[in-house]
């Protein structure tokens, strides 16, 4: 497999049509999607993969298809995406992840996020990367903290007006200056 970049255990690559069944299965898991408005169906997952393909071709980054290097299995995504929803900090480059439940608890989200931050700052020359999650999504917030991001604000996500349980969100960020001065 040709990877754009790797961490110790993970490979990051553009999406292929072969990724659709595995990503659709991840999106169909109610536990994986418990902090989202709904479970994307097959066509919505196909649309997501197409958007990631376009984002990568246009900008050189996306939420990358992420493989476990040991098994060569696609386990979800970790990567970067430009967010343009209406908020005081947008447009911005966001880091995000979604992994198969079978891969939880192995440190993959933290390892992958650190690697994607490094890619964003070193290879893409980004100055700042943000992360957003509902305030009730403690697992994602913990990953943000583990990779050195700092909480900046709490806001009502404009795309979640119809979902009060998850509308209140945190925005964390990290700058290139902080990242390059952090001990590894």
């Amino acid at each position: 497999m040709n990877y754009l970049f790797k961490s110790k255990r993970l490979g990051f690559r553009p999406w292929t049509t072969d990724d659709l069944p595995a990503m659709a299965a991840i999106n169909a898991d109610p536990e994986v999607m418990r902090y989202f408005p709904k479970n994307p169906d097959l066509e919505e997952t196909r649309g997501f993969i197409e958007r990631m393909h376009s984002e990568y071709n246009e900008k050189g980054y996306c939420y990358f298809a992420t493989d476990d290097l040991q098994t060569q299995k696609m386990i979800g995504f970790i990567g970067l995406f430009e967010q343009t929803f209406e908020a005081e900090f947008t447009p911005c480059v966001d880091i995000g992840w979604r992994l198969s439940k079978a891969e939880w608890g192995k440190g993959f989200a933290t390892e992958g996020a650190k690697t994607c931050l490094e890619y964003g700052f070193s290879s893409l020359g980004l100055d700042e990367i943000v992360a957003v999650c509902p305030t009730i999504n403690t697992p994602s917030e913990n990953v943000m903290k583990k990779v050195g991001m700092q909480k900046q604000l709490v806001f009502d996500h404009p795309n979640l007006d119809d979902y009060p349980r998850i509308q209140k969100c945190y925005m964390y960020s990290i700058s290139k200056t902080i990242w390059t001065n952090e001990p590894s």
Side-chain angles (χ1 to χ4, degrees):
M1 183 69 63
N2 288 333
Y3 294 108
L4 299 166
F5 55 98
K6 298 177 189 177
S7 66
K8 183 178 179 182
R9 302 179 295 162
L10 301 172
F12 302 86
R13 60 179 175 76
W15 293 84
T16 71
T17 53
D18 293 341
D19 295 320
L20 181 59
M23 195 66 225
I26 292 167
N27 282 342
D29 185 329
E31 201 163 344
V32 170
M33 299 302 296
R34 72 184 180 269
Y35 301 116
F36 291 86
K38 66 181 202 114
N39 291 69
D41 64 22
L42 184 66
E43 287 310 308
E44 290 166 322
T45 302
R46 185 186 319 276
F48 167 82
I49 290 172
E50 289 169 1
R51 281 191 312 282
M52 293 307 108
H53 210 303
S54 294
E55 181 89 350
Y56 176 72
N57 288 336
E58 184 181 321
K59 297 187 170 80
Y61 60 83
C62 65
Y63 293 142
F64 296 107
T66 304
D67 294 346
D68 178 333
L69 292 173
Q70 184 176 3
T71 64
Q72 296 291 296
K73 180 178 149 193
M74 198 275 280
I75 61 169
F77 69 75
I78 306 172
L80 306 167
F81 190 78
E82 184 177 39
Q83 295 293 347
T84 57
F85 59 82
E86 199 67 35
E88 66 185 81
F89 57 89
T90 59
C92 64
V93 177
D94 162 81
I95 187 166
W97 45 85
R98 181 176 307 155
L99 300 176
S100 166
K101 185 180 171 200
E103 308 307 329
W104 292 1
K106 298 178 181 179
F108 285 153
T110 301
E111 178 180 327
K114 284 180 179 177
T115 304
C116 288
L117 288 170
E118 180 63 32
Y119 178 76
F121 292 133
S122 297
S123 298
L124 300 174
L126 299 174
D127 291 322
E128 181 181 57
I129 299 172
V130 307
V132 171
C133 73
T135 58
I136 62 171
N137 187 345
T138 305
S140 280
E141 185 185 12
N142 287 339
V143 172
M144 294 171 195
K145 291 175 183 177
K146 286 179 189 176
V147 301
M149 301 183 96
Q150 298 294 312
K151 187 187 309 178
Q152 302 300 322
L153 61 100
V154 178
F155 71 103
D156 287 335
H157 198 300
N159 295 348
L160 299 174
D161 285 343
D162 295 334
Y163 307 95
R165 184 181 76 83
I166 57 173
Q167 185 180 22
K168 190 155 298 300
C169 290
Y170 292 128
M171 187 279 271
Y172 276 67
S173 71
I174 190 166
S175 69
K176 182 176 188 171
T177 306
I178 298 295
W179 178 257
T180 55
N181 291 317
E182 286 271 317
S184 296

